[in-house]
Amino acid sequence: MAMVNGETNEIKASALDLIGETPIVALDRLYTGPGRILAKCEFMNPGASIKCRSSLHMIRKARENGALKPGAPVLEVTSGNQGCGLAVVCAVLGHPLTLTMSKGNSVQRAIHMKALGANCVCVPQVEGTYGNVTLADVKEAEAEGMRLVEELGAYYVNQFNNEDNAEAHYETTGPEIWRQTGHHVDAFIATVGTAGTFTGTSKYLKEKNSNVLSFVVEPAGSEPIKGEKITKPLHLLQGSGYGCVPNLFKFDYMDDTISVTDEEAIKYKKLIGEKEGLYVGYTSGANVAAAVKLLQSGKLPKDAWVVTLLNDTGLKYPPAAEECS
């Protein structure tokens, strides 16, 4: 809230002030009990995903510590959402942005990033298919990114190894959830890509109440955190379940894992739209499917509140016939 001529107004200074403070909604029409599912609406961030939070925090920290100079170029390897978040931040702060992304990720993400002024380089897949991105595909996009870092002299954000990624959620997502629920959180559930969201949020919530349980959501057949052999590297949960334990992941903050099939993610993605009026992506569907499984398992009290995330908008997932170009 700003003050002009002695009077207050609610004008935001830029899109950066639109990041975070997303509302939590009860999914009481989709799920009637036992227990309750509360979903944080991260698709309402200006880049339409939870990744806006870490984008802003990582860039601010890099500017503060001198690693990123004013006006200097920025580069990141992305599955799309981090790229969209960085594109918002770099547009406002005046940093030329280059992003490398596997062609297996949805074309709508590339369209979004380009519309915000970023240069999006779509890298051919080596293993997966459109809509199904494997670790090998990510490595290919990473290799092209590293080549461009040298060519452009760009600051490399490095979301998978950047501790400021997790810190963003320790400083914002966790505290918001704790405040918005009136300090009532029995369990927290999240899919894992870089693990920044899960690690930072779980750390904060467990510090506030050591009885809070945290669950990782993994795609069935790609469950390395659970300790299972990878049998299905191709799945629909873009931006998560890459078939490895991310470097930012901390087992200390995890109580258990929950596996979700593609069919379950699709089912709940559809139900979130039809029952709650919210059009979200596949990882959001997976998060809600996992929350239902947990509450129906009997592992929690019958009046438990489970908090999860609606990670991004469904508008980032076009029909499979389209391709990133």
Side-chain angles (χ1 to χ4, degrees):
M1 187 173 292
M3 181 172 289
V4 179
N5 298 325
E7 296 185 5
T8 58
N9 62 62
E10 298 185 7
I11 298 170
K12 304 295 186 182
S14 76
L16 303 188
D17 294 323
L18 305 179
I19 295 174
E21 290 299 335
T22 57
I24 286 183
V25 62
L27 304 185
D28 293 341
R29 284 140 295 278
L30 182 155
Y31 180 77
T32 57
R36 199 178 199 195
I37 299 173
L38 307 177
K40 195 150 172 61
C41 299
E42 292 303 300
F43 61 88
M44 294 178 70
N45 282 297
S49 91
I50 194 168
K51 295 290 189 173
C52 286
R53 294 176 181 270
S54 53
S55 294
L56 178 58
H57 194 69
M58 290 188 291
I59 292 298
R60 275 184 171 165
K61 285 290 187 177
R63 285 165 61 97
E64 289 171 7
N65 65 31
L68 176 61
K69 306 298 182 185
V74 173
L75 185 138
E76 181 60 316
V77 182
T78 182
S79 64
N81 280 334
Q82 192 81 70
C84 291
L86 286 168
V88 171
V89 174
C90 288
V92 173
L93 297 179
H95 292 282
L97 175 64
T98 299
L99 301 156
T100 61
M101 182 177 79
S102 170
K103 289 188 74 170
N105 291 117
S106 54
V107 66
Q108 293 298 80
R109 300 178 184 215
I111 292 170
H112 191 168
M113 291 183 279
K114 291 175 182 178
L116 297 175
N119 174 30
C120 182
V121 179
C122 293
V123 180
Q125 289 183 272
V126 295
E127 186 177 60
T129 58
Y130 183 63
N132 304 98
V133 178
T134 70
L135 182 60
D137 295 327
V138 174
K139 292 295 185 183
E140 194 74 4
E142 186 179 64
E144 178 62 11
M146 294 305 93
R147 187 188 71 78
L148 288 170
V149 164
E150 294 296 323
E151 180 181 306
L152 301 171
Y155 170 72
Y156 177 40
V157 178
N158 196 10
Q159 60 175 309
F160 278 89
N161 299 290
N162 191 328
E163 294 290 341
D164 292 328
N165 179 348
E167 186 179 84
H169 300 284
Y170 180 80
E171 293 190 359
T172 68
T173 315
E176 287 173 29
I177 289 171
W178 189 244
R179 186 190 79 243
Q180 290 170 326
T181 59
H183 306 170
H184 182 176
V185 180
D186 293 290
F188 172 68
I189 287 179
T191 51
V192 168
T194 65
T197 299
F198 180 84
T199 298
T201 306
S202 294
K203 179 183 178 184
Y204 182 88
L205 293 174
K206 284 179 174 291
E207 285 180 1
K208 287 298 181 181
N209 181 356
S210 60
N211 292 321
V212 172
L213 300 177
S214 290
F215 295 83
V216 165
V217 180
E218 291 189 289
S222 185
E223 304 149 274
I225 294 173
K226 186 179 180 180
E228 298 287 337
K229 182 179 178 180
I230 306 301
T231 58
K232 190 177 183 291
L234 298 180
H235 55 79
L236 290 178
L237 307 190
Q238 290 185 46
S240 77
Y242 287 124
C244 65
V245 178
N247 290 339
L248 295 178
F249 185 77
K250 301 290 187 288
F251 281 94
D252 291 348
Y253 306 129
M254 182 194 81
D255 292 283
D256 206 348
T257 67
I258 301 172
S259 302
V260 173
T261 65
D262 284 352
E263 292 74 21
E264 288 169 331
I266 292 169
K267 173 185 174 180
Y268 280 94
K269 176 183 183 298
K270 189 168 183 283
L271 285 173
I272 295 165
E274 293 177 351
K275 298 292 186 180
E276 302 291 350
L278 303 172
Y279 186 41
V280 295
Y282 292 104
T283 57
S284 302
N287 278 341
V288 173
V292 171
K293 282 186 170 184
L294 177 61
L295 284 167
Q296 291 181 340
S297 71
K299 294 179 180 178
L300 299 179
K302 288 187 176 181
D303 60 350
W305 285 11
V306 173
V307 177
T308 192
L309 307 163
L310 301 180
N311 291 322
D312 65 3
T313 174
L315 295 172
K316 289 179 182 279
Y317 301 87
E322 297 185 40
E323 287 191 356
C324 180
S325 60

